[in-house]
Amino acid sequence: MRSLIVEKGPGPVEDEPDALVKGWLQREMRGCMKTPWIRPRKYWFVLTPDSLDYYSSNEKGARRLGSLVLTSLCSVLWPDKQLYKETGYWSVTVFGRKHCYRLYTEHLNEAVRWVCAVQKVIDSKAPVQTPTQLLMRDVEEHRDSPEILEQIYRCNPILRYTSGPLYAPLLPFPYGSLDQS
């Protein structure tokens, strides 16, 4: 005989082995613009060793709505007491390469837990090196060999004057606004 109990579907996402921190947070949907207060929407967030993802719910098979890949250039801002006084929410801002997530929670300890966990993931990442830094390292390593140096300069126009614009940064800079921390 079959069971009369109807299964609700697969179990919750909470069984993920890679998840470092997970929980309900609210996210401002307009990004990081300085706009008047907009009530954020509630999403299920999961922090893994590589990214910060958010889902429509905490059930297994829930649709992933977004992901912020974390590198050593990402940054996270601590909760702001002034914003809490104005809105009643503690704000955590995570800056990535193309996006930033402004997350809200009603409890300071939860905000601090997320900030510490995200910062720990960022700190665990290897430093990002730009192509220019790699070329500078090659030049430094071959400074005693003029033939190899000449070949490096000839093959890489970025190392000499060009009239064209630069389309990529020469050195890595952290994402986001660190002057607020």
Side-chain angles (χ1 to χ4, degrees):
M1 277 187 89
R2 290 187 167 209
S3 174
L4 297 176
I5 300 172
V6 179
E7 292 184 6
K8 293 183 178 180
V13 176
E14 296 181 11
D15 298 335
E16 284 188 38
D18 288 347
L20 302 173
V21 179
K22 52 195 166 219
W24 290 103
L25 292 172
Q26 298 183 46
R27 177 172 182 245
E28 184 177 277
M29 294 311 297
R30 284 199 164 174
C32 293
M33 291 190 258
K34 301 285 185 193
T35 58
W37 173 253
I38 298 171
R39 185 155 179 89
R41 295 178 132 185
K42 199 172 193 179
Y43 297 102
W44 180 257
F45 280 83
V46 177
L47 177 66
T48 66
D50 297 315
S51 65
L52 178 61
D53 305 319
Y54 69 99
Y55 298 85
S56 56
S57 73
N58 64 341
E59 295 178 2
K60 193 169 190 169
R63 188 168 57 110
R64 184 173 69 188
L65 301 174
S67 182
L68 185 68
V69 177
L70 298 173
T71 67
S72 63
L73 297 179
C74 293
S75 61
V76 60
L77 294 180
W78 281 81
D80 181 23
K81 191 172 190 174
Q82 182 62 33
L83 186 65
Y84 177 74
K85 288 178 181 178
E86 295 171 8
T87 64
Y89 289 96
W90 293 99
S91 171
V92 173
T93 306
V94 182
F95 292 95
R97 180 173 172 258
K98 292 184 178 180
H99 304 286
C100 80
Y101 288 175
R102 184 166 285 171
L103 311 173
Y104 298 96
T105 180
E106 295 176 355
H107 305 286
L108 177 61
N109 59 350
E110 186 177 6
V112 169
R113 179 175 68 112
W114 279 95
V115 167
C116 291
V118 170
Q119 188 63 55
K120 189 174 179 180
V121 169
I122 292 170
D123 292 342
S124 72
K125 299 295 179 186
V128 174
Q129 289 189 322
T130 64
T132 306
Q133 286 179 304
L134 297 173
L135 282 172
M136 291 167 49
R137 189 186 69 207
D138 287 347
V139 167
E140 181 66 29
E141 288 174 357
H142 298 99
R143 68 176 178 246
D144 298 330
S145 176
E147 307 86 34
I148 296 175
L149 276 179
E150 184 61 36
Q151 183 179 5
I152 291 172
Y153 282 112
R154 192 177 32 236
C155 294
N156 298 288
I158 194 73
L159 296 176
R160 58 183 187 270
Y161 173 78
T162 61
S163 59
L166 299 176
Y167 292 106
L170 299 178
L171 300 173
F173 289 106
Y175 309 130
S177 174
L178 292 177
D179 57 330
Q180 297 177 9
S181 59

